[in-house]
Amino acid sequence: MRGAGLAGGSDRADRDARTAGGQVTAGVPAVVAALTRLRPHLAAAGLGLGLAQVGEPGLGPAGPAEASAAATMTPGRRREFLAGRQAARRALRAVGVDCGEIPREGRLPVFAPGRSASISHSAGIAVAVARAPGGHAPLGCDLELRLLPCEAARLVLAPDEESLLGTPATAGGGPWSLTGLFSAKEAAWKALHLVPGRAGTASMRTLRDLRAEPYGDALHIGPRIDPHVGPRIDPRIAPSSRPRIASRAGQSYGVRVQVQVRVRVLPVGAGVFSYAVGWADADGRSTPVPTARRS
């Protein structure tokens, strides 16, 4: 789920996509064990992993800002919020950084300088990923333990993406599912909001405003542009990373390649966990882009 509570995007549409017949895929202990097994995989990518459960003992605010925010929430949302903050602190400790309370600005968590994490919740579990200070790769993760029904596809995918459903993710790999594509877009959404100045994100209102393209065992995801208006290109961006236009069935779709995110989707029981691997240029190479303090 969009654990960091990102504004921008149609909250109603995305909420409908999550809840329209969604079914929890596995029990909490099995999911926690599956996520724990991902620690070495994520560590190899330079990421620390933090986990928390809404019902664990001793869960509480780490300072007055968290206490003030939690006081305005319903009991269920309060437990999710506090578990998410705890997961973020554990993820940061995994990369050698201590972190106290994590206040928020609107619905976004705000981290102290040198600290940054991305948070997600699903079915009573909070998960977070963090990078060590000085890292320049994107941060974005998403956990989905409720399967999306087929009728939610119209809320997640544009016509040029529908052919992805059911196609193999890799040679011999499992097919892309609607839940997996939804989760990948959620992780990309968070990572794209870390771009300085949020370049290319102005058009992002719903997940359909992001376009996913398969690339090996991952997805490249970036915001669409209006081909009739044309993109505003930052002159500092290398020509090889500038926007290009794709077309399908007589319609044109633009993608801001300079802010495409490379996202991996991993199975967690019958659910999925997605995280941003790096920025990708037009040739699929990782392109360093400085990150901001928000998740």
Side-chain angles (χ1 to χ4, degrees), residues 154-228:
R154 63 183 178 80
L155 303 172
V156 180
L157 305 176
D160 62 324
E161 299 171 300
E162 292 176 357
S163 62
L164 285 175
L165 287 173
T167 60
T170 59
W176 293 113
S177 67
L178 179 59
T179 304
L181 293 169
F182 172 85
S183 180
K185 285 193 172 188
E186 286 277 308
W189 188 293
K190 296 174 184 179
L192 288 165
H193 275 75
L194 293 177
V195 181
R198 297 189 178 182
T201 62
S203 63
M204 290 166 49
R205 297 176 301 277
T206 75
L207 293 182
R208 286 166 54 92
D209 295 321
L210 293 175
R211 185 172 189 270
E213 300 175 276
Y215 194 91
D217 60 353
L219 291 165
H220 285 180
I221 304 175
R224 300 174 184 273
I225 57 174
D226 185 343
H228 301 292

Coordinates of all heavy atoms in Angstrom, one line a residue, residues 154-228:
R154 N -8.5 -1.2 -15.0 CA -8.8 0.1 -15.6 C -8.3 1.3 -14.7 O -8.1 2.4 -15.2 CB -10.2 0.3 -15.9 CG -11.1 0.3 -14.7 CD -12.6 0.3 -15.0 NE -13.4 0.3 -13.8 CZ -13.6 1.3 -13.0 NH1 -13.1 2.5 -13.2 NH2 -14.3 1.1 -11.9
L155 N -8.1 1.0 -13.4 CA -7.6 2.1 -12.5 C -6.1 2.1 -12.4 O -5.6 3.1 -11.9 CB -8.2 1.8 -11.1 CG -9.8 1.8 -11.0 CD1 -10.2 1.3 -9.6 CD2 -10.4 3.1 -11.4
V156 N -5.5 1.1 -13.0 CA -4.0 1.0 -12.8 C -3.3 1.1 -14.2 O -2.2 1.7 -14.2 CB -3.7 -0.4 -12.2 CG1 -2.1 -0.5 -12.0 CG2 -4.4 -0.6 -10.8
L157 N -3.8 0.5 -15.2 CA -3.1 0.4 -16.5 C -3.8 1.2 -17.6 O -5.1 1.2 -17.6 CB -3.1 -1.1 -16.9 CG -2.4 -2.0 -15.9 CD1 -2.5 -3.5 -16.5 CD2 -1.0 -1.7 -15.7
A158 N -3.1 1.8 -18.4 CA -3.6 2.5 -19.6 C -3.6 1.4 -20.8 O -3.0 0.3 -20.6 CB -2.7 3.6 -20.0
P159 N -4.3 1.7 -21.9 CA -4.5 0.7 -22.9 C -3.1 0.2 -23.4 O -3.1 -1.0 -23.8 CB -5.2 1.5 -24.0 CG -6.0 2.5 -23.3 CD -5.1 2.9 -22.1
D160 N -2.1 1.0 -23.5 CA -0.8 0.5 -24.0 C -0.1 -0.4 -23.1 O 1.0 -0.9 -23.4 CB 0.1 1.7 -24.4 CG 0.4 2.6 -23.3 OD1 -0.4 2.8 -22.4 OD2 1.5 3.1 -23.2
E161 N -0.6 -0.6 -21.8 CA 0.1 -1.5 -20.9 C -0.7 -2.8 -20.7 O -0.2 -3.7 -20.0 CB 0.2 -0.8 -19.5 CG 1.0 0.5 -19.5 CD 0.8 1.3 -18.2 OE1 -0.3 1.6 -17.9 OE2 1.9 1.5 -17.6
E162 N -1.9 -2.9 -21.2 CA -2.7 -4.0 -20.9 C -2.1 -5.3 -21.4 O -2.3 -6.4 -20.8 CB -4.1 -3.9 -21.4 CG -4.9 -2.7 -20.7 CD -6.3 -2.5 -21.4 OE1 -6.5 -3.1 -22.4 OE2 -7.0 -1.6 -20.8
S163 N -1.3 -5.3 -22.4 CA -0.7 -6.5 -23.0 C 0.4 -7.1 -22.0 O 0.8 -8.2 -22.2 CB 0.0 -6.2 -24.3 OG 1.0 -5.2 -24.2
L164 N 0.8 -6.3 -21.0 CA 1.7 -6.8 -20.0 C 1.1 -7.9 -19.2 O 1.8 -8.8 -18.7 CB 2.2 -5.7 -19.1 CG 3.2 -4.7 -19.6 CD1 3.5 -3.6 -18.6 CD2 4.5 -5.4 -20.0
L165 N -0.2 -7.8 -18.9 CA -0.8 -8.8 -18.0 C -0.7 -10.2 -18.5 O -1.0 -10.5 -19.7 CB -2.3 -8.5 -17.8 CG -2.6 -7.2 -17.0 CD1 -4.1 -6.9 -17.1 CD2 -2.2 -7.5 -15.6
G166 N -0.1 -11.1 -17.7 CA 0.0 -12.5 -18.1 C 1.3 -12.8 -18.9 O 1.6 -14.0 -19.1
T167 N 2.0 -11.8 -19.4 CA 3.2 -12.1 -20.1 C 4.4 -12.4 -19.1 O 4.4 -11.9 -18.0 CB 3.7 -10.9 -21.0 OG1 3.9 -9.7 -20.2 CG2 2.6 -10.6 -22.0
P168 N 5.3 -13.3 -19.5 CA 6.4 -13.6 -18.6 C 7.3 -12.5 -18.2 O 7.6 -11.6 -19.0 CB 7.2 -14.7 -19.4 CG 6.3 -15.2 -20.4 CD 5.4 -14.0 -20.8
A169 N 7.6 -12.3 -16.9 CA 8.5 -11.3 -16.5 C 9.9 -11.5 -17.0 O 10.6 -10.5 -17.3 CB 8.5 -11.2 -14.9
T170 N 10.3 -12.7 -17.1 CA 11.6 -13.1 -17.7 C 11.4 -14.4 -18.4 O 10.4 -15.1 -18.2 CB 12.7 -13.3 -16.6 OG1 12.3 -14.3 -15.7 CG2 12.9 -12.0 -15.8
A171 N 12.4 -14.8 -19.1 CA 12.4 -16.1 -19.8 C 12.3 -17.2 -18.7 O 13.2 -17.3 -17.8 CB 13.6 -16.3 -20.6
G172 N 11.2 -17.9 -18.7 CA 11.0 -18.9 -17.6 C 10.5 -18.4 -16.3 O 10.2 -19.2 -15.4
G173 N 10.3 -17.1 -16.2 CA 9.7 -16.5 -15.0 C 8.2 -16.5 -15.0 O 7.6 -16.8 -16.0
G174 N 7.7 -16.1 -13.8 CA 6.2 -16.0 -13.7 C 5.7 -14.8 -14.5 O 6.4 -13.8 -14.8
P175 N 4.4 -14.8 -14.8 CA 3.8 -13.7 -15.5 C 3.6 -12.4 -14.7 O 3.5 -12.5 -13.5 CB 2.5 -14.3 -16.0 CG 2.1 -15.2 -14.9 CD 3.4 -15.8 -14.5
W176 N 3.6 -11.3 -15.3 CA 3.2 -10.0 -14.6 C 1.8 -10.1 -14.2 O 0.9 -10.4 -15.0 CB 3.4 -8.8 -15.5 CG 4.9 -8.5 -15.8 CD1 5.5 -8.6 -17.1 CD2 5.9 -8.1 -14.9 NE1 6.8 -8.3 -17.0 CE2 7.1 -8.0 -15.7 CE3 5.9 -7.9 -13.6 CZ2 8.3 -7.6 -15.1 CZ3 7.1 -7.5 -13.0 CH2 8.3 -7.3 -13.8
S177 N 1.5 -9.9 -13.0 CA 0.1 -9.8 -12.5 C -0.4 -8.4 -12.3 O 0.5 -7.5 -12.2 CB 0.0 -10.6 -11.1 OG 0.7 -9.9 -10.1
L178 N -1.7 -8.2 -12.2 CA -2.2 -6.9 -11.9 C -1.7 -6.3 -10.6 O -1.3 -5.2 -10.5 CB -3.7 -6.9 -12.0 CG -4.4 -5.5 -11.7 CD1 -3.9 -4.5 -12.7 CD2 -5.9 -5.7 -11.7
T179 N -1.7 -7.2 -9.6 CA -1.2 -6.8 -8.3 C 0.3 -6.4 -8.3 O 0.7 -5.4 -7.7 CB -1.4 -7.9 -7.2 OG1 -2.7 -8.3 -7.2 CG2 -0.9 -7.5 -5.8
G180 N 1.1 -7.1 -9.1 CA 2.5 -6.8 -9.2 C 2.7 -5.5 -9.9 O 3.6 -4.7 -9.6
L181 N 2.0 -5.2 -11.0 CA 2.1 -4.0 -11.7 C 1.6 -2.8 -10.9 O 2.2 -1.7 -10.9 CB 1.3 -4.1 -13.0 CG 1.9 -5.1 -14.1 CD1 0.9 -5.3 -15.2 CD2 3.2 -4.6 -14.6
F182 N 0.6 -3.0 -10.2 CA 0.1 -2.0 -9.2 C 1.2 -1.6 -8.2 O 1.5 -0.5 -8.0 CB -1.2 -2.4 -8.5 CG -1.7 -1.5 -7.4 CD1 -2.5 -0.4 -7.7 CD2 -1.3 -1.8 -6.1 CE1 -2.9 0.4 -6.7 CE2 -1.8 -0.9 -5.1 CZ -2.6 0.2 -5.4
S183 N 1.8 -2.7 -7.6 CA 2.8 -2.5 -6.6 C 4.0 -1.8 -7.2 O 4.6 -0.9 -6.5 CB 3.2 -3.8 -6.0 OG 4.1 -3.7 -5.0
A184 N 4.4 -2.2 -8.4 CA 5.6 -1.6 -9.0 C 5.3 -0.1 -9.2 O 6.2 0.8 -9.0 CB 5.9 -2.3 -10.3
K185 N 4.1 0.3 -9.7 CA 3.8 1.7 -9.9 C 3.8 2.5 -8.6 O 4.2 3.6 -8.5 CB 2.5 1.8 -10.7 CG 2.6 1.5 -12.1 CD 1.3 1.9 -12.9 CE 1.5 1.8 -14.4 NZ 0.4 2.4 -15.1
E186 N 3.3 1.8 -7.5 CA 3.3 2.5 -6.2 C 4.7 2.8 -5.8 O 5.0 3.9 -5.3 CB 2.6 1.6 -5.2 CG 1.1 1.6 -5.3 CD 0.4 2.8 -4.7 OE1 0.7 3.0 -3.5 OE2 -0.4 3.4 -5.3
A187 N 5.6 1.8 -5.9 CA 7.0 2.0 -5.5 C 7.7 3.1 -6.4 O 8.4 4.0 -5.9 CB 7.8 0.7 -5.7
A188 N 7.4 3.1 -7.7 CA 7.9 4.1 -8.6 C 7.4 5.5 -8.3 O 8.2 6.5 -8.3 CB 7.6 3.8 -10.0
W189 N 6.1 5.6 -7.9 CA 5.5 6.9 -7.6 C 6.3 7.5 -6.4 O 6.6 8.7 -6.5 CB 4.1 6.7 -7.2 CG 3.3 7.9 -7.0 CD1 3.5 8.9 -6.0 CD2 2.2 8.4 -7.8 NE1 2.6 9.9 -6.1 CE2 1.8 9.6 -7.2 CE3 1.6 7.9 -8.9 CZ2 0.7 10.4 -7.8 CZ3 0.5 8.6 -9.5 CH2 0.1 9.9 -8.9
K190 N 6.6 6.7 -5.4 CA 7.3 7.3 -4.3 C 8.7 7.7 -4.7 O 9.2 8.8 -4.3 CB 7.4 6.2 -3.2 CG 6.1 5.8 -2.6 CD 6.2 4.7 -1.6 CE 4.9 4.2 -1.1 NZ 5.0 3.0 -0.2
A191 N 9.4 6.9 -5.4 CA 10.8 7.2 -5.9 C 10.8 8.5 -6.7 O 11.7 9.3 -6.6 CB 11.4 6.1 -6.6
L192 N 9.8 8.6 -7.6 CA 9.8 9.8 -8.5 C 9.5 11.1 -7.7 O 10.0 12.2 -8.2 CB 8.7 9.6 -9.6 CG 9.0 8.6 -10.6 CD1 7.8 8.2 -11.4 CD2 10.1 9.1 -11.6
H193 N 8.9 11.0 -6.6 CA 8.7 12.2 -5.8 C 9.9 12.6 -5.0 O 9.9 13.6 -4.3 CB 7.5 12.0 -4.8 CG 6.2 12.3 -5.5 ND1 5.6 11.4 -6.4 CD2 5.3 13.3 -5.3 CE1 4.4 11.9 -6.8 NE2 4.2 13.1 -6.2
L194 N 11.0 11.9 -5.2 CA 12.3 12.3 -4.6 C 13.1 13.1 -5.5 O 14.2 13.6 -5.1 CB 13.1 11.0 -4.1 CG 12.5 10.2 -3.0 CD1 13.3 9.0 -2.7 CD2 12.4 11.1 -1.7
V195 N 12.7 13.2 -6.8 CA 13.5 13.9 -7.8 C 13.5 15.4 -7.4 O 12.5 16.0 -7.2 CB 12.9 13.7 -9.2 CG1 13.8 14.5 -10.2 CG2 12.8 12.3 -9.6
P196 N 14.7 16.0 -7.3 CA 14.7 17.4 -7.0 C 13.8 18.2 -7.9 O 13.9 18.1 -9.1 CB 16.2 17.8 -7.2 CG 16.9 16.5 -7.0 CD 16.0 15.5 -7.6
G197 N 12.9 19.1 -7.3 CA 12.0 19.8 -8.1 C 10.9 19.0 -8.6 O 10.0 19.5 -9.3
R198 N 10.9 17.7 -8.3 CA 9.8 16.8 -8.8 C 9.6 16.9 -10.3 O 8.5 17.0 -10.8 CB 8.5 17.0 -8.1 CG 8.6 16.7 -6.6 CD 7.2 16.7 -5.9 NE 7.4 16.4 -4.5 CZ 6.4 16.3 -3.7 NH1 5.1 16.5 -4.1 NH2 6.6 16.0 -2.4
A199 N 10.8 17.0 -11.0 CA 10.7 17.1 -12.5 C 9.9 16.0 -13.1 O 10.1 14.8 -12.8 CB 12.1 17.1 -13.1
G200 N 8.9 16.3 -14.0 CA 8.2 15.3 -14.7 C 7.0 14.8 -13.9 O 6.3 13.9 -14.4
T201 N 6.8 15.2 -12.6 CA 5.7 14.6 -11.8 C 4.5 15.4 -11.8 O 3.5 15.0 -11.3 CB 6.2 14.4 -10.4 OG1 6.5 15.7 -9.8 CG2 7.4 13.5 -10.3
A202 N 4.5 16.6 -12.5 CA 3.3 17.5 -12.4 C 2.1 16.8 -13.1 O 0.9 17.0 -12.7 CB 3.6 18.8 -13.2
S203 N 2.3 15.9 -14.0 CA 1.2 15.2 -14.7 C 0.7 14.0 -14.0 O -0.2 13.3 -14.5 CB 1.6 14.9 -16.1 OG 2.7 13.9 -16.1
M204 N 1.3 13.6 -12.9 CA 1.0 12.4 -12.2 C -0.2 12.6 -11.3 O 0.0 13.1 -10.2 CB 2.2 11.9 -11.4 CG 3.3 11.4 -12.3 SD 4.9 11.1 -11.4 CE 4.4 10.3 -9.9
R205 N -1.3 12.2 -11.7 CA -2.6 12.3 -10.9 C -3.1 11.0 -10.5 O -3.6 10.8 -9.4 CB -3.7 13.1 -11.7 CG -3.3 14.5 -12.1 CD -4.4 15.1 -12.9 NE -4.6 14.4 -14.2 CZ -3.8 14.5 -15.3 NH1 -2.8 15.4 -15.3 NH2 -4.1 13.8 -16.4
T206 N -2.9 10.0 -11.3 CA -3.3 8.6 -11.0 C -2.2 7.7 -11.5 O -1.3 8.1 -12.2 CB -4.6 8.2 -11.6 OG1 -4.4 7.9 -13.0 CG2 -5.7 9.2 -11.5
L207 N -2.3 6.4 -11.1 CA -1.2 5.4 -11.5 C -1.3 5.2 -13.0 O -0.2 4.8 -13.6 CB -1.5 4.1 -10.8 CG -1.2 4.1 -9.3 CD1 -1.4 2.7 -8.7 CD2 0.2 4.6 -8.9
R208 N -2.4 5.6 -13.7 CA -2.4 5.5 -15.1 C -1.5 6.5 -15.8 O -1.2 6.4 -17.0 CB -3.9 5.6 -15.6 CG -4.7 4.4 -15.4 CD -6.2 4.7 -15.6 NE -6.5 5.3 -16.9 CZ -6.8 4.6 -18.0 NH1 -6.9 3.3 -17.9 NH2 -7.0 5.2 -19.1
D209 N -1.1 7.5 -15.0 CA -0.2 8.6 -15.6 C 1.2 8.1 -15.5 O 2.1 8.9 -16.0 CB -0.4 9.9 -14.8 CG -1.8 10.5 -15.0 OD1 -2.3 10.4 -16.1 OD2 -2.4 11.0 -14.0
L210 N 1.5 7.0 -15.0 CA 2.8 6.3 -15.1 C 2.7 5.2 -16.1 O 1.7 4.5 -16.2 CB 3.2 5.7 -13.7 CG 3.5 6.7 -12.6 CD1 3.7 5.9 -11.3 CD2 4.6 7.6 -12.9
R211 N 3.8 5.1 -16.9 CA 3.8 4.0 -17.9 C 4.9 3.0 -17.5 O 6.1 3.4 -17.2 CB 4.1 4.5 -19.3 CG 4.0 3.5 -20.4 CD 4.1 4.1 -21.8 NE 3.8 3.2 -22.8 CZ 4.8 2.4 -23.4 NH1 6.0 2.6 -23.1 NH2 4.4 1.6 -24.4
A212 N 4.6 1.7 -17.5 CA 5.5 0.6 -17.2 C 5.9 -0.1 -18.4 O 5.1 -0.4 -19.3 CB 4.9 -0.4 -16.2
E213 N 7.2 -0.3 -18.5 CA 7.8 -1.1 -19.6 C 8.7 -2.2 -19.1 O 9.5 -1.9 -18.2 CB 8.6 -0.2 -20.5 CG 7.9 1.0 -21.2 CD 8.9 1.9 -21.9 OE1 9.5 2.8 -21.3 OE2 9.0 1.7 -23.2
P214 N 8.6 -3.4 -19.6 CA 9.4 -4.5 -19.1 C 10.9 -4.3 -19.5 O 11.1 -3.8 -20.7 CB 8.8 -5.7 -19.7 CG 8.1 -5.3 -20.9 CD 7.6 -3.9 -20.6
Y215 N 11.8 -4.6 -18.7 CA 13.2 -4.5 -19.0 C 13.9 -5.6 -18.3 O 14.2 -5.5 -17.1 CB 13.8 -3.1 -18.7 CG 15.2 -2.9 -19.3 CD1 15.3 -2.3 -20.5 CD2 16.3 -3.3 -18.7 CE1 16.5 -2.1 -21.1 CE2 17.6 -3.1 -19.2 CZ 17.7 -2.5 -20.5 OH 18.9 -2.3 -21.1
G216 N 14.2 -6.7 -18.9 CA 14.8 -7.9 -18.3 C 13.8 -8.4 -17.2 O 12.6 -8.6 -17.5
D217 N 14.3 -8.6 -16.0 CA 13.5 -9.1 -14.9 C 12.9 -7.9 -14.1 O 12.4 -8.2 -13.0 CB 14.3 -10.0 -14.0 CG 15.5 -9.3 -13.4 OD1 15.8 -8.2 -13.8 OD2 16.2 -10.0 -12.5
A218 N 13.0 -6.7 -14.6 CA 12.5 -5.6 -13.9 C 11.5 -4.8 -14.8 O 11.2 -5.2 -15.9 CB 13.6 -4.7 -13.4
L219 N 11.0 -3.7 -14.3 CA 10.2 -2.7 -15.0 C 10.8 -1.4 -15.0 O 11.4 -1.0 -14.0 CB 8.8 -2.6 -14.4 CG 7.9 -3.9 -14.5 CD1 6.7 -3.7 -13.6 CD2 7.4 -4.1 -15.9
H220 N 10.7 -0.6 -16.1 CA 11.1 0.8 -16.2 C 9.8 1.6 -16.2 O 8.9 1.3 -17.0 CB 11.9 1.1 -17.4 CG 13.3 0.6 -17.3 ND1 14.2 0.8 -18.3 CD2 14.0 0.0 -16.3 CE1 15.4 0.3 -18.0 NE2 15.3 -0.2 -16.8
I221 N 9.7 2.5 -15.2 CA 8.4 3.2 -15.0 C 8.7 4.7 -14.9 O 9.6 5.1 -14.2 CB 7.7 2.7 -13.7 CG1 7.4 1.2 -13.8 CG2 6.4 3.5 -13.5 CD1 6.9 0.6 -12.5
G222 N 7.9 5.5 -15.7 CA 8.1 6.9 -15.7 C 6.8 7.6 -16.0 O 5.9 7.0 -16.5
P223 N 6.7 8.9 -15.7 CA 5.5 9.7 -16.0 C 5.3 9.9 -17.5 O 6.3 10.1 -18.2 CB 5.7 11.0 -15.2 CG 7.2 11.1 -15.1 CD 7.7 9.7 -15.0
R224 N 4.1 9.9 -17.9 CA 3.8 10.2 -19.3 C 3.9 11.7 -19.5 O 3.8 12.5 -18.6 CB 2.4 9.7 -19.6 CG 2.2 8.2 -19.4 CD 0.7 7.8 -19.6 NE 0.5 6.4 -19.4 CZ 0.7 5.5 -20.3 NH1 1.1 5.8 -21.5 NH2 0.5 4.2 -20.0
I225 N 4.0 12.1 -20.8 CA 3.9 13.5 -21.1 C 2.9 13.6 -22.2 O 2.5 12.7 -22.9 CB 5.3 14.0 -21.6 CG1 5.8 13.2 -22.8 CG2 6.3 14.1 -20.5 CD1 7.0 13.8 -23.4
D226 N 2.4 14.9 -22.4 CA 1.4 15.1 -23.5 C 2.2 15.4 -24.8 O 2.9 16.4 -24.9 CB 0.6 16.4 -23.1 CG -0.5 16.7 -24.1 OD1 -0.4 16.1 -25.2 OD2 -1.4 17.5 -23.8
P227 N 2.1 14.4 -25.7 CA 2.9 14.6 -27.0 C 2.5 15.8 -27.8 O 3.2 16.3 -28.6 CB 2.6 13.3 -27.7 CG 1.3 12.8 -27.2 CD 1.2 13.3 -25.8
H228 N 1.3 16.3 -27.6 CA 0.8 17.5 -28.3 C 1.4 18.8 -27.8 O 1.6 19.8 -28.5 CB -0.7 17.6 -28.3 CG -1.3 16.4 -28.9 ND1 -1.3 16.0 -30.2 CD2 -2.1 15.4 -28.3 CE1 -1.9 14.9 -30.4 NE2 -2.4 14.5 -29.2

